[in-house]
Amino acid sequence: MIKFLIHRPIAVIMTFVAILTLGLVASGLLPVSLMPDIDIPEITIQVNRPGESARQVEEGIVAPMRYHLMQVPHLDDVVSESRDGRALIRLRFSFGADINYAFIDVNEKVDAAMRNLPPEMERPAIIKASASDLPVFYINLWKEGADETEFMELSDLARSVMIKRLEQLPEVAMVDVTGHLEPELYIEPNEPLLKSLGLTHRHITHALEENNLSLGSLQVADGQYLFNIRFSNALRTVEDVKNIRLRVGPRLMKLQELATIGIRSRQQEGAFLTGAEPALSMAVIKQSDARMDDLKNSVHEMLNRFERDYAGVKYQIIRDQTALLDHSISNLKVNLIFGGALAFLILFFFLKDARAPWLIGISIPAALIISLLFFHLVGISINIISLSGLILGVGMMIDNSIIVIDNITQHTERGESLARACIKGTNEIFRPLISSVLTTCAVFIPLIFLSGISGALFYDQALSVAIGLVSSLIVSITLIPVLYHLFSVRAEKRGKLGIGKVSRALQKLNLFKTENLYEKGFNWVFKFRKIVIAAFLVLIIPGFLLGWKMPKERFPSFNQSDVFVKIDWNERINLDENILRLEIINSGVSNLSQIGNSYVGTQKYMLHKDMDQSVSEALLYFSGKTPEDITNIQKVITDIINTNWTSAIVSYQMPETIFEKLFQQEEAFLVLKISNNQERGIPDLDRMNHITADLSEKFPDAGIMPRASESYIEVSVLPEMLALYDVEHRALYERLRAALNAWQVGVLHTGSQYVPMVIGNSPLPVNQMLNELMVVNRYQLEIPVKTLVNTRIKDDYKTLFGSNEGAFVPIDVHSIPGNNAPLWMAQITEQLKSAYDIDPSFAGSWFSSRQLIRELVIVMLISLSLLYFILAAQFESLRQPLILLLEVPIDIAGALFLLWIFGGTINIMSMIGIVVMSGIIVNDSILKIDTINRLQREGTPMLEAIKEGGHRRLKPIIMTSITTILALMPVIWGSGMGSELQKPLALTVIGGMFLGTIVSLYFIPLCYYYLMNFKPHISK
């Protein structure tokens, strides 16, 4: 085939031009996203039930709903969290289940459960999430110096105009918002006037109901025509409500004469602040098939238009996740430029020919464009995962081109004709290159069999690596020999064939004595071969110890210039007090931070499950210029809180990257699920506190803490007193709700939104209200409310949890003494069973980690098996693949050693680096063993073949190693989040390549010598 291609260069070049044109067109059509558009196997149900306690929500709504949801197919787990007025139910499905069908099933089960729930209950929101639902960036929107009325107008403008216009952009899928104020129409009756006129709140309520009717329409016939008659008496404006007439004796009075009526903000349980200003926080979610640059440009243009059109409106973009994608794209460009330049220089110095290196400048972009064409054909988007795979493949693309060019050059130096050198040089390394591609794929592709989202993400990476390698292979064995032949023929015709003046100068200077050094090293190694091979094998031991002892984490830690501060005041404070405390903190760090945002209390995001806070909690976000600013901010905040609010609980965490959001473990290391065996419920709070205190005393190192609780006022009605004073239950209930300003009596239809109408007076402190409040009985006599009710302060759980096994109380365990989880679980089970007759169940990340480890072991065995089978087929030997399998742990020892010297950890980036390094080094050894086998088949004695094979493969091994190491050196000394994220990968590749080069040069020949000379003794 190579002979056919070489003699038809124009056809080959035109074919590649056509393919590259298609690739360029396809690259413009590829979606550019942060992450692959994969469905997360989880559905969230948000239950909203204002006015009900956490226990009422759990027992009356969530528990029946869980019972219906347990019938959904492919359901792995159900976990619910019930709080005052709301609840979350999370459904986790087995990965691979069709989440769209699951979404339909969940909706059907929720509708079935709704039939047995209160008819006035709002239907729960059901959310199906995917990786593309993670916000691309956040927009802070505010108006400087705005009072409550102006900010409510801004909230209405944002929800009715700005968000809709942003969502109309083709690149925007959704804008999730929090911090907005919602209006309500208030009616505050003039109590003395009502009393003098003999009216009650019920008269006002009845008038509102009669004047707020919408009866639909009727169709009537008038001769040959049909008409629709619409009946509407709905209230639409505040003036409509004020002008309602009530009959008071012989006269009619307007409602505005009996009460104060107006629009105000609804009572809030949460707020968002930028600095000290109330603001809106809008999370922008991208369409899965949109390009990132188009999204950013369109949003920026729209925001600039808002700033021009609406006076005083300010905006700010924060937490821009596109920085990771921008870094990946820029990293790919740098790798291409830097790698190509290094390959050019290395080829120039080693091959001493200025023409051959230019082929690298053609082959790498060609392979990359062909890869993008394959991306379009198989439906992969440009995202962080696929780009990381493509970046890994770029280094291997350079290696393939170097190997082909060097092999052809070797044949020309041995005196063969140009055409024969191109044909023979390419055919010789055709099978080894295919084996190299297959062995690398054998390492990457089995990773897609990991369960969960890890396997789904590795799918894009494995496929992009495979596509990059196949594209590089196609270019290396087809385009490179054709161009090499074409350039050389034209040089011969022009009389410029040769090494040139610069190359002759290099030869005379003899700067590179690599062959002489290799010759001396080879002779020394084979002279002391037993000592040398033992020394290489001993390196496996420190590698194993480093792998066992080095700290492990999911992602490399790096310095960030922003931080989240989570505060639980551990007190029953209201929203205003929460904001006042945060203003003190913000003023204390205002000179240290560039950006300061406060998520106060309950947030209204639809898709942010991690911001499910109570009114007495807050999440602060600060961004500084340097990491030192963040350290100072943490110190100042800690001092302020320790001085003013000693009971508050404060924790600091760096903002999660998009990787961490997807891979985050929401559960603790171990979670004990406690429930009453006999009652099939949860223990009361006092008993649970006694249990946690006992466990904390017996297991002090486990970090067991009591569950969060809260105090509430219980108001119990005295039925005998109601009967004595002839007071109706409903009258008392409505009077209390009106006094607490919580009696909604209708909805105002404004056209753009529905505004609730609330009747009541300004709320007073509870004790004062109960002492002063009066209720009218059946005989229109006023009865003091305090004589009809009892009040007392009680404590209960702040959050109630449930699962498919029923309600439970979780106890988080963050560390296990001795790291022996099975023994510890047996001990604690025995303790709870004997002391409290409780048989706990267990959950937590320990179980998922064990499952992941088991899967990784299986995947590793599959990878090694595939590697062995491929190499056995390549070498037609069952022994020779063992040489390469033995090389891998030695190279890993070098990778871990350099990682340890620089203070690194074992994480996902360093593990990817080890995989990449193993693939490159194994490829070099494959070519070396293939050359030795070919020389032996030609009749060369074994030792001489080993020596000659080392000489022939010396330059490609050194060239690929030097280009890879030098290309990664800037990452080690670079700064910023991108370089720090890539640093573990660079360290492992450099350490493994450095030791692996020595292993390929000397250890592989020794192993080959001993293994192929070994003759097993067969007894007769």
Side-chain angles (χ1 to χ4, degrees):
M1 183 186 70
I2 303 300
K3 182 178 180 181
F4 175 82
L5 296 176
I6 286 176
H7 290 92
R8 290 168 178 78
I10 302 300
V12 172
I13 293 173
M14 289 299 102
T15 302
F16 268 93
V17 169
I19 295 174
L20 295 179
T21 302
L22 292 176
L24 290 172
V25 173
S27 65
L29 301 175
L30 286 174
V32 180
S33 308
L34 286 171
M35 299 297 290
D37 186 21
I38 57 176
D39 288 325
I40 300 173
E42 183 175 304
I43 292 176
T44 303
I45 302 174
Q46 297 178 343
V47 178
N48 188 27
R49 191 66 174 161
E52 293 194 358
S53 66
R55 195 170 288 273
Q56 289 174 318
V57 173
E58 163 63 26
E59 296 174 355
I61 297 173
V62 175
M65 197 169 290
R66 279 201 313 264
Y67 176 77
H68 283 82
L69 292 169
M70 286 167 56
Q71 305 170 32
V72 176
H74 307 294
L75 185 64
D76 278 351
D77 192 19
V78 180
V79 178
S80 64
E81 299 179 18
S82 301
R83 298 174 179 246
D84 289 348
R86 66 190 190 279
L88 279 179
I89 305 175
R90 295 189 178 97
L91 308 175
R92 296 188 181 97
F93 295 86
S94 55
F95 199 85
D98 193 319
I99 201 68
N100 296 313
Y101 285 119
F103 184 71
I104 296 173
D105 289 335
V106 169
N107 275 275
E108 291 178 351
K109 300 305 179 187
V110 168
D111 290 336
M114 290 286 292
R115 300 189 189 105
N116 301 320
L117 297 178
E120 75 279 3
M121 175 181 164
E122 176 186 347
R123 190 182 189 278
I126 303 174
I127 301 169
K128 173 176 69 72
S130 69
S132 58
D133 291 335
L134 298 173
V136 176
F137 47 77
Y138 293 78
I139 303 171
N140 294 344
L141 194 71
W142 75 96
K143 191 174 183 181
E144 292 183 355
D147 56 20
E148 183 177 298
T149 301
E150 291 176 321
F151 186 66
M152 190 162 57
E153 293 174 352
L154 176 62
S155 299
D156 182 56
L157 176 66
R159 286 183 298 149
S160 59
V161 178
M162 295 180 176
I163 291 176
K164 290 182 179 179
R165 291 178 67 180
L166 285 170
E167 290 180 336
Q168 288 171 357
L169 296 174
E171 299 86 8
V172 176
M174 177 183 175
V175 178
D176 205 359
V177 65
T178 190
H180 53 282
L181 293 182
E182 297 176 344
E184 70 178 11
L185 185 144
Y186 66 91
I187 304 171
E188 294 184 355
N190 186 333
E191 298 291 347
L193 181 59
L194 290 182
K195 183 178 179 180
S196 65
L197 296 174
L199 299 176
T200 65
H201 290 182
R202 191 171 296 178
H203 290 90
I204 297 177
T205 304
H206 183 67
L208 288 168
E209 291 174 351
E210 287 186 337
N211 286 271
N212 198 26
L213 298 175
S214 181
L215 303 177
S217 64
L218 295 175
Q219 190 177 73
V220 296
D222 184 7
Q224 60 182 345
Y225 298 103
L226 292 175
F227 295 94
N228 284 330
I229 300 177
R230 298 180 181 179
F231 300 91
S232 178
N233 195 33
L235 300 172
R236 299 190 179 277
T237 65
V238 177
E239 293 300 319
D240 291 343
V241 179
K242 289 181 177 180
N243 292 326
I244 291 176
R245 267 71 171 182
L246 285 83
R247 179 172 293 278
V248 183
R251 57 181 291 199
L252 293 176
M253 296 184 68
K254 291 184 179 181
L255 185 56
Q256 65 180 348
E257 300 178 72
L258 304 173
T260 303
I261 303 170
I263 293 290
R264 67 185 178 195
S265 64
R266 199 181 306 179
Q267 183 177 358
Q268 302 293 310
E269 293 185 350
F272 174 76
L273 306 175
T274 175
E277 297 280 353
L280 305 177
S281 174
M282 299 187 294
V284 179
I285 299 170
K286 187 184 74 67
Q287 289 282 6
S288 60
D289 58 348
R291 297 180 67 86
M292 191 68 67
D293 290 340
D294 296 339
L295 170 71
K296 293 175 68 175
N297 294 335
S298 298
V299 171
H300 274 288
E301 183 180 345
M302 185 64 69
L303 291 175
N304 291 332
R305 190 177 305 168
F306 289 159
E307 200 170 23
R308 292 193 305 268
D309 295 346
Y310 306 108
V313 175
K314 304 293 183 183
Y315 75 88
Q316 181 183 49
I317 294 179
I318 64 168
R319 297 168 64 187
D320 189 353
Q321 290 285 331
T322 60
L324 284 174
L325 183 64
D326 292 339
H327 171 74
S328 296
I329 295 175
S330 63
N331 194 22
L332 179 61
K333 293 178 181 177
V334 169
N335 279 3
L336 286 173
I337 296 172
F338 200 71
L342 284 174
F344 180 93
L345 293 175
I346 297 301
L347 279 174
F348 181 75
F349 287 134
F350 275 90
L351 300 180
K352 305 179 182 65
D353 190 345
R355 292 184 305 275
W358 288 106
L359 297 177
I360 298 293
I362 298 174
S363 63
I364 297 175
L368 188 61
I369 294 173
I370 294 173
S371 299
L372 295 178
L373 176 59
F374 280 115
F375 271 34
H376 180 72
L377 295 176
V378 300
I380 297 180
S381 66
I382 297 294
N383 54 69
I384 295 176
I385 303 299
S386 61
L387 273 179
S388 65
L390 206 56
I391 290 170
L392 299 179
V394 167
M396 301 178 193
M397 293 178 190
I398 297 175
D399 295 345
N400 289 340
S401 300
I402 288 175
I403 291 168
V404 172
I405 294 171
D406 176 75
N407 207 48
I408 294 174
T409 304
Q410 287 188 25
H411 280 279
T412 58
E413 290 176 350
R414 289 198 289 267
E416 296 184 13
S417 65
L418 179 61
R420 182 169 177 79
C422 292
I423 296 170
K424 191 174 181 181
T426 306
N427 286 333
E428 279 184 357
I429 48 97
F430 179 71
R431 287 181 59 192
L433 285 181
I434 292 179
S435 297
S436 301
V437 171
L438 293 178
T439 52
T440 306
C441 293
V443 175
F444 272 96
I445 290 180
L447 293 174
I448 67 177
F449 295 108
L450 292 176
S451 65
I453 197 169
S454 303
L457 291 178
F458 273 122
Y459 173 82
D460 269 41
Q461 188 178 60
L463 203 56
S464 58
V465 169
I467 287 174
L469 291 176
V470 171
S471 302
S472 173
L473 179 65
I474 293 172
V475 172
S476 299
I477 63 176
T478 56
L479 185 62
I480 291 295
V482 171
L483 293 179
Y484 189 100
H485 182 268
L486 185 63
F487 290 171
S488 299
V489 168
R490 291 190 175 184
E492 287 179 355
K493 292 180 179 179
R494 295 176 183 177
K496 296 182 180 180
L497 183 62
I499 59 176
K501 294 181 179 179
V502 177
S503 299
R504 291 192 189 96
L506 287 174
Q507 281 185 328
K508 291 179 180 179
L509 289 174
N510 199 17
L511 294 177
F512 295 94
K513 300 181 180 180
T514 51
E515 294 187 3
N516 295 334
L517 292 174
Y518 172 74
E519 179 83 21
K520 293 178 181 179
F522 183 88
N523 294 332
W524 186 88
V525 164
F526 268 78
K527 181 179 180 181
F528 304 100
R529 50 182 177 267
K530 291 184 178 181
I531 298 175
V532 172
I533 200 167
F536 275 113
L537 293 176
V538 167
L539 291 175
I540 298 177
I541 298 175
F544 176 79
L545 294 176
L546 286 173
W548 180 263
K549 294 293 184 180
M550 284 181 65
K552 300 169 182 65
E553 57 184 354
R554 286 181 300 167
F555 291 94
S557 57
F558 45 84
N559 295 322
Q560 288 183 256
S561 57
D562 53 356
V563 67
F564 272 122
V565 185
K566 186 171 181 59
I567 303 176
D568 186 345
W569 298 111
N570 206 20
E571 298 179 61
R572 188 77 174 182
I573 64 173
N574 58 27
L575 182 65
D576 292 335
E577 175 63 20
N578 199 341
I579 293 175
L580 287 175
R581 295 183 180 187
L582 296 180
E583 287 178 352
I584 297 174
I585 294 175
N586 283 318
S587 63
V589 298
S590 59
N591 60 330
L592 298 173
S593 64
Q594 290 182 311
I595 299 174
N597 296 151
S598 305
Y599 300 88
V600 194
T602 304
Q603 299 303 305
K604 299 176 182 178
Y605 286 124
M606 288 288 293
L607 300 178
H608 278 53
K609 296 172 292 186
D610 54 341
M611 287 192 182
D612 186 27
Q613 302 175 160
S614 66
V615 181
S616 59
E617 295 175 326
L619 183 68
L620 307 180
Y621 171 79
F622 294 105
S623 175
K625 293 182 179 179
T626 63
E628 288 74 22
D629 290 340
I630 299 303
T631 303
N632 295 330
I633 287 173
Q634 295 181 17
K635 185 178 183 301
V636 171
I637 292 176
T638 302
D639 292 341
I640 293 175
I641 291 179
N642 289 339
T643 303
N644 297 280
W645 309 285
T646 55
S647 61
I649 301 171
V650 185
S651 61
Y652 302 95
Q653 62 185 32
M654 295 301 172
E656 295 176 327
T657 64
I658 194 165
F659 293 105
E660 293 167 316
K661 281 186 174 292
L662 286 174
F663 287 103
Q664 65 182 351
Q665 291 285 348
E666 296 180 357
E667 294 181 314
F669 180 70
L670 272 180
V671 179
L672 280 73
K673 295 183 177 181
I674 306 296
S675 60
N676 280 341
N677 295 343
Q678 297 177 350
E679 302 174 9
R680 300 188 67 183
I682 59 175
D684 58 58
L685 183 61
D686 292 337
R687 185 167 188 250
M688 195 65 224
N689 287 337
H690 184 69
I691 292 172
T692 53
D694 188 19
L695 294 177
S696 180
E697 181 181 351
K698 287 185 169 56
F699 304 98
D701 298 329
I704 295 175
M705 300 292 292
R707 294 304 307 177
S709 62
E710 61 183 3
S711 300
Y712 66 96
I713 299 175
E714 182 182 75
V715 180
S716 56
V717 177
L718 302 175
E720 66 276 10
M721 302 304 292
L722 291 178
L724 177 64
Y725 291 105
D726 285 324
V727 177
E728 296 179 353
H729 282 80
R730 182 177 178 183
L732 176 62
Y733 178 67
E734 291 176 352
R735 191 71 189 94
L736 286 170
R737 291 191 65 186
L740 294 169
N741 201 25
W743 187 7
Q744 183 175 329
V745 293
V747 176
L748 188 70
H749 302 265
T750 65
S752 61
Q753 61 180 322
Y754 294 100
V755 179
M757 296 186 293
V758 177
I759 185 171
N761 299 100
S762 299
L764 299 172
V766 175
N767 291 330
Q768 181 183 349
M769 181 266 293
L770 292 176
N771 287 329
E772 298 177 359
L773 194 62
M774 309 292 285
V775 63
V776 178
N777 66 1
R778 292 186 178 92
Y779 303 106
Q780 302 302 309
L781 298 176
E782 290 187 335
I783 308 298
V785 169
K786 65 180 180 180
T787 63
L788 305 175
V789 298
N790 274 339
T791 61
R792 59 176 176 171
I793 297 177
K794 298 182 69 175
D795 294 327
D796 201 357
Y797 296 103
K798 192 174 185 178
T799 306
L800 295 175
F801 295 84
S803 67
N804 49 4
E805 299 174 355
F808 67 92
V809 179
I811 297 179
D812 294 343
V813 179
H814 298 283
S815 61
I816 300 295
N819 292 324
N820 192 340
L823 178 61
W824 191 88
M825 285 189 286
Q827 291 176 351
I828 205 166
T829 300
E830 182 181 355
Q831 170 68 21
L832 291 173
K833 186 68 176 176
S834 60
Y836 303 99
D837 192 25
I838 289 177
D839 188 11
S841 59
F842 295 90
S845 61
W846 182 79
F847 293 94
S848 57
S849 298
R850 284 174 62 88
Q851 180 184 357
L852 182 61
I853 290 172
R854 287 195 297 267
E855 291 178 353
L856 283 173
V857 171
I858 294 173
V859 166
M860 186 174 294
L861 292 175
I862 293 173
S863 299
L864 292 175
S865 300
L866 290 175
L867 191 64
Y868 180 83
F869 297 148
I870 293 169
L871 294 175
Q874 161 67 22
F875 299 136
E876 297 182 357
S877 169
L878 299 178
R879 294 186 189 180
Q880 292 181 4
L882 299 176
I883 302 173
L884 301 178
L885 296 181
L886 191 60
E887 176 187 8
V888 173
I890 300 175
D891 298 341
I892 292 176
L896 294 178
F897 181 72
L898 190 63
L899 189 65
W900 174 71
I901 289 177
F902 279 81
T905 62
I906 297 177
N907 50 66
I908 190 169
M909 299 304 295
S910 57
M911 292 301 294
I912 292 175
I914 289 174
V915 171
V916 174
M917 174 273 303
S918 302
I920 297 174
I921 289 297
V922 167
N923 291 344
D924 291 336
S925 300
I926 289 173
L927 289 167
K928 189 166 190 174
I929 294 177
D930 181 79
T931 303
I932 296 172
N933 289 339
R934 189 172 62 254
L935 289 171
Q936 284 192 281
R937 286 194 296 269
E938 294 173 357
T940 307
M942 177 184 292
L943 190 57
E944 187 178 341
I946 293 173
K947 192 172 184 178
E948 179 62 22
H951 278 291
R952 292 190 181 184
R953 298 271 70 87
L954 176 63
K955 289 181 181 179
I957 291 175
I958 294 177
M959 283 188 288
T960 55
S961 299
I962 292 176
T963 53
T964 303
I965 291 173
L966 292 181
L968 292 173
M969 288 299 291
V971 177
I972 295 180
W973 311 115
S975 60
M977 184 181 67
S979 295
E980 292 178 1
L981 195 64
Q982 299 289 338
K983 186 175 179 179
L985 185 148
L987 288 171
T988 50
V989 172
I990 291 173
M993 288 293 295
F994 184 80
L995 181 59
T997 302
I998 300 174
V999 170
S1000 295
L1001 293 176
Y1002 300 113
F1003 178 74
I1004 293 299
L1006 277 176
C1007 285
Y1008 189 95
Y1009 177 80
Y1010 277 109
L1011 194 63
M1012 300 310 293
N1013 273 329
F1014 174 71
K1015 304 293 183 182
H1017 177 71
I1018 302 176
S1019 59
K1020 297 182 180 179

